[in-house]
Amino acid sequence: MRWPREVPELAWSRGGDRRASVLAYGAGLGFRAVGERHCAGARGNVCPLGAVVPGRSTGGRCAECARLDRAHSVAADTMADDPRTYRVYLAWFGPGMVKVGITGEERGAARLREQGAVAFSWLGRGPLMAARRTEEVLRAALGVPDRIPYARKRAVRGQLPGPEERAGAVAELYVRAAALEGRGWPESLERLPLEVVDQVGVFGLDRATAAARPVREGAPAPVRAVRELVDGGVVAGRLVAAAGPDLHLAVAGGGVVVLDTRLITGWDLTAEAGSDVRVPLIDIGGGGVQGGLF
């Protein structure tokens, strides 16, 4: 799953062939998993072991490839001499769920879409280590985490507050963060003005939350999520929303099911029409397993 622009894409590969499918809300999407799930490799390279990986792994990599992939990431702090400009952002995912992070300036807001940030604002820009230092200062001073589990994000997507409350939550965090300027905030980090970007429309969540109000047309809130794929397992439905790595699919007689596309990586897939889900599911709200294969 990728968000290079304000529309989601699925990236596919077989051997040396690579392509991307742009996804459209309201369109059908379906596939059947075949065989075993294999390691996705690291940094565009094929896993030398062709290792089989567990169906529930969201990383989709064997231990060695996961280590190699992370070793070259910004999060590993192994790129202190990176000459690129980075941005510090403040992100809101739902009531009580805010975080601070950094991303390369040339990527724009792609990182925020990849994480499923419902609303965000830039805070500052500068060299990598200044951005990293600011991120650490803000986490400690504001008491915000460096990551929020996707399960928590999914649980609130169907009951998001209105745009004013979303913008207000980001603005409040921005004011608290800006007040720390000069107190551990590196001088080389330029502060950017508050400008709240709301991504509810980008994700199609305005369609998904509208069903709670009978006077508007929309899709129901998601209630179940795919736990894992299995050989012969089918996932098919109508795409009603997408956020981060998640696809929200309306299925016949089953409401809306969320598919974390990180669970797809490493599987061979074949086309499947219809509106049916035959893989293990889990209840989004309570965490109880919904029946296994059915």
Side-chain angles (χ1 to χ4, degrees):
M1 182 81 158
R2 307 188 307 188
W3 288 91
R5 295 174 295 278
E6 293 188 348
V7 290
E9 297 181 357
L10 281 180
W12 308 85
S13 66
R14 178 179 290 278
D17 296 331
R18 299 177 183 273
R19 64 183 178 89
S21 300
V22 176
L23 304 179
Y25 301 135
L29 185 151
F31 61 84
R32 181 187 301 272
V34 179
E36 293 180 312
R37 186 187 189 194
H38 292 91
C39 174
R43 300 283 157 175
N45 298 306
V46 176
C47 174
L49 302 176
V52 174
V53 294
R56 299 186 192 182
S57 167
T58 54
R61 293 183 173 91
C62 67
E64 182 62 18
C65 286
R67 184 188 66 79
L68 290 173
D69 188 69
R70 181 170 176 79
H72 296 282
S73 71
V74 172
D77 284 334
T78 58
M79 305 166 62
D81 58 347
D82 191 331
R84 295 174 296 175
T85 299
Y86 282 79
R87 288 199 174 201
V88 181
Y89 61 80
L90 305 172
W92 184 90
F93 299 88
M97 287 185 282
V98 294
K99 65 161 285 188
V100 57
I102 69 173
T103 185
E105 187 169 68
E106 77 279 0
R107 297 200 66 208
R111 181 63 179 151
L112 283 304
R113 295 189 288 269
E114 290 168 356
Q115 293 187 51
V118 175
F120 74 92
S121 176
W122 301 116
L123 178 67
R125 64 187 297 272
L128 171 59
M129 298 315 292
R132 178 65 79 198
R133 172 60 180 165
T134 303
E135 179 186 34
E136 293 172 352
V137 167
L138 294 178
R139 285 176 184 166
L142 303 180
V144 296
D146 61 343
R147 62 186 61 194
I148 298 172
Y150 280 103
R152 290 187 60 201
K153 300 174 188 178
R154 294 181 192 117
V156 301
R157 280 191 201 138
Q159 299 85 33
L160 293 174
E164 295 82 5
E165 186 173 339
R166 299 194 295 264
V170 177
E172 179 184 1
L173 185 62
Y174 180 93
V175 170
R176 293 172 59 201
L180 296 172
E181 194 170 6
R183 291 187 286 163
W185 183 309
E187 293 183 0
S188 56
L189 191 90
E190 171 193 356
R191 180 153 67 91
L192 297 173
L194 171 67
E195 185 176 347
V196 179
V197 178
D198 195 293
Q199 302 197 116
V200 162
V202 171
F203 294 151
L205 296 175
D206 48 350
R207 295 161 49 89
T209 57
R213 299 182 289 276
V215 296
R216 294 180 56 186
E217 181 182 357
V223 293
R224 294 177 296 172
V226 174
R227 187 179 63 181
E228 63 181 311
L229 300 186
V230 294
D231 181 23
V234 171
V235 177
R238 179 172 55 87
L239 182 65
V240 295
D246 294 344
L247 300 178
H248 294 217
L249 299 170
V251 301
V256 172
V257 171
V258 174
L259 170 66
D260 183 339
T261 54
R262 294 175 300 172
L263 297 174
I264 296 178
T265 305
W267 281 99
D268 281 343
L269 306 177
T270 61
E272 184 78 21
S275 184
D276 188 17
V277 175
R278 283 173 279 150
V279 292
L281 301 178
I282 190 167
D283 177 48
I284 288 178
V289 175
Q290 296 282 318
L293 289 174
F294 64 96

